[in-house]
Amino acid sequence: MRILFITATRIGDAVISTGLLDHLVQTYPNAKLTIACGPLAASLFADVPNLERVIVLAKKPYGQHWFSLWQEVRKVKWDVVVDLRRSLIPYLVHTRQRYRLGPDDDRSHRVQLLSGLFGLSPPADPKIWLSDHHKTGALDILGGDEPYIALCPIAARPEKTWSSENFTALARTILAEEGWFADNKILLVGAEADRSILTQMAQALPQERCGLLIGCSDLLTVAAVLAKCQFTIANDSGLAHLSAAVGSPTVALFGPTRADLYRPWGARVTVVQAPNISNGRAMSDISVGEVLDACHAVVT
């Protein structure tokens, strides 16, 4: 049995889709899985059970990436095709069952929307598969069981970004506290493109209590690190979703994006949403004190 699962380009959306993928894994335990996704999300699926192949769907002009995908999959007789990208692929290949995501619903969280494709109730929680290799790698990065609090201060767009100055002020306050976080260290997490910002932030913090995880392209290693941290504080970003999916307590900062539709999914998630001032929600309107209060709530 073969299943084709077409999912997202962005990391956060790809993480959200893993609940549906887990449903397929559980429902068809002997099926061979092919997953098509964007380059940034590709490493997320490396440890999925019965994975046959990951097809990296890099965007091309005029939608040519869909033609390239069709050429890759057209000769296979699929048993199930699931398309969360709303392409024509499910109708252009041989398959016994096809599922194609319908229009967005501004009344339902994305996890609920995707789960509705299979009529799942309760919704399918996101699932990250981590091998011992990734868990061991996380321990090496963190120096064993050193207690870290992860800060993920980068987001894809400026309007989703709480400033690095605010994150730095928050980190200083956390490290200065005697009771709540006395033994913890700060781990700044981001991509290679974020190195300058993260390095500058690290220089403003006590060197012996600050670590850096920059440019790790293996999302499962990053996920394993976040799973070992005491908790994660993140902008509205893929890393916030990744942290929540591995069960790390997560404080997610939201500005104009509707948290009720796009917040990280999980019981251990606390959202701090910017207040609605003058018909807008600006990240700059979130205070350091508000985020610190959310952190205190996480550890109590």
Side-chain angles (χ1 to χ4, degrees):
M1 182 176 188
R2 282 189 161 82
I3 297 175
L4 173 62
F5 187 79
I6 304 171
T7 186
T9 295
R10 293 178 294 189
I11 294 171
D13 289 334
V15 170
I16 286 173
S17 77
T18 58
L20 206 58
L21 182 59
D22 185 44
H23 169 72
L24 294 171
V25 169
Q26 299 297 327
T27 304
Y28 307 105
N30 298 316
K32 295 180 179 179
L33 286 160
T34 294
I35 299 170
C37 63
L40 291 177
S43 64
L44 185 68
F45 302 103
D47 289 340
V48 172
N50 296 327
L51 179 68
E52 187 170 40
R53 186 182 180 194
V54 173
I55 300 175
V56 178
L57 191 59
K59 189 172 182 178
K60 297 179 181 178
Y62 310 110
Q64 294 180 58
H65 47 286
W66 293 116
F67 179 71
S68 298
L69 177 60
W70 175 75
Q71 288 184 308
E72 294 272 2
V73 302
R74 66 187 177 88
K75 294 182 180 180
V76 179
K77 290 186 177 180
W78 302 99
D79 293 279
V80 180
V81 173
V82 179
D83 182 7
L84 305 182
R85 297 284 300 278
R86 303 183 176 100
S87 76
L88 295 177
I89 296 295
Y91 304 103
L92 299 176
V93 297
H94 183 281
T95 181
R96 293 171 56 196
Q97 298 179 68
R98 58 177 62 86
Y99 300 89
R100 183 176 182 268
L101 186 64
D104 284 337
D105 180 354
D106 64 2
R107 299 166 297 175
S108 301
H109 189 279
R110 287 289 295 182
V111 167
Q112 296 168 317
L113 179 68
L114 299 190
S115 295
L117 197 57
F118 282 83
L120 302 181
S121 182
D125 295 337
K127 165 83 173 183
I128 305 298
W129 292 267
L130 293 174
S131 68
D132 290 339
H133 164 73
H134 291 103
K135 294 175 183 177
T136 301
L139 289 175
D140 290 341
I141 290 169
L142 295 174
D145 289 324
E146 291 277 5
Y148 276 96
I149 296 167
L151 266 62
C152 307
I154 309 299
R157 300 201 301 269
E159 64 269 23
K160 292 185 173 186
T161 304
W162 202 47
S163 71
S164 59
E165 291 80 9
N166 280 337
F167 269 104
T168 302
L170 177 67
R172 284 175 174 163
T173 303
I174 286 174
L175 294 178
E177 289 200 5
E178 294 293 332
W180 296 92
F181 311 114
D183 298 323
N184 282 277
K185 298 181 179 181
I186 296 294
L187 182 69
L188 300 173
V189 185
E192 183 60 41
D194 312 320
R195 180 174 293 276
S196 177
I197 293 173
L198 297 179
T199 301
Q200 185 176 2
M201 290 176 63
Q203 291 171 348
L205 300 173
Q207 299 302 295
E208 70 279 5
R209 296 186 66 188
C210 181
L212 289 166
L213 178 56
I214 302 175
C216 181
S217 59
D218 184 349
L219 288 176
L220 294 184
T221 296
V222 177
V225 167
L226 296 177
K228 292 293 293 181
C229 288
Q230 303 298 304
F231 62 94
T232 299
I233 310 163
N235 283 317
D236 172 12
S237 64
L239 292 183
H241 290 277
L242 194 62
S243 173
V246 295
S248 178
T250 304
V251 176
L253 312 183
F254 272 68
T257 306
R258 284 182 56 179
D260 60 322
L261 302 182
Y262 297 103
R263 62 178 282 158
W265 186 267
R268 307 183 77 185
V269 175
T270 299
V271 171
V272 179
Q273 180 132 38
N276 193 358
I277 299 174
S278 302
N279 296 319
R281 297 183 183 273
M283 293 292 278
S284 57
D285 290 329
I286 298 176
S287 71
V288 171
E290 286 179 277
V291 182
L292 185 63
D293 288 344
C295 296
H296 287 162
V298 162
V299 298
T300 56

